[in-house]
Amino acid sequence: MYSIEEIKELLAAFDGSKATALDIQMGEDEFISIRQKSAKAAVAVPAAAVNETPAVEVQVSTEPAAPVMTEVKTEGTPVESPMVGVFYSAPSPDSEPYVTVGSEVNKGDVICLIEAMKLMNEVTAEKNGVIAEVCVENGQVVEYGQPLFVIK
């Protein structure tokens, strides 16, 4: 059984390390899972886990976390995601994408959809131009401000 102080010591040691993930099995259905994208850690600790049996298995990953943001490789004006959600390049799975590399767009044209909280939100071109780069894949989760396209 871990005390609150032991858990705090474990978190302090993890925070001071280069590890990006820590999973501690506390019992059959109880565990502590910690993921760190940068210097700050996200912690999920079930309330009952504090009063359960000691850890049986500890796994620490020292691999760097995958980058969240996509780098823009082409010169031009990036079109950024206005929200967190799922990127869709077409209005339905059997439809053609709104745009592809080389597509001409006008300001206000719908270029993709972002699904957030079961609502489909249209993303429109911010200027006239040609799609120079598609920065994300269909069905990918995107973050606020993440580049979706580059328009030249």
Side-chain angles (χ1 to χ4, degrees), residues 35-134:
R35 299 287 178 261
Q36 186 166 274
K37 289 184 181 178
S38 62
K40 300 292 179 193
V43 181
V45 181
V50 176
N51 297 322
E52 288 296 318
T53 58
V56 175
E57 179 182 335
V58 175
Q59 298 173 341
V60 177
S61 171
T62 57
E63 295 178 19
V68 175
M69 300 303 277
T70 305
E71 288 187 31
V72 175
K73 300 172 189 155
T74 309
E75 288 185 29
T77 304
V79 176
E80 297 177 344
S81 177
M83 65 191 67
V84 175
V86 179
F87 170 86
Y88 292 109
S89 60
S92 66
D94 56 341
S95 299
E96 291 293 317
Y98 287 107
V99 295
T100 57
V101 173
S103 297
E104 289 188 25
V105 294
N106 294 314
K107 183 176 181 175
D109 287 353
V110 175
I111 55 176
C112 70
L113 298 174
I114 303 289
E115 179 185 8
M117 298 180 67
K118 299 186 181 185
L119 294 174
M120 294 296 188
N121 301 280
E122 294 180 339
V123 177
T124 58
E126 298 170 354
K127 69 175 202 168
N128 297 340
V130 176
I131 300 293
E133 183 179 351
V134 178

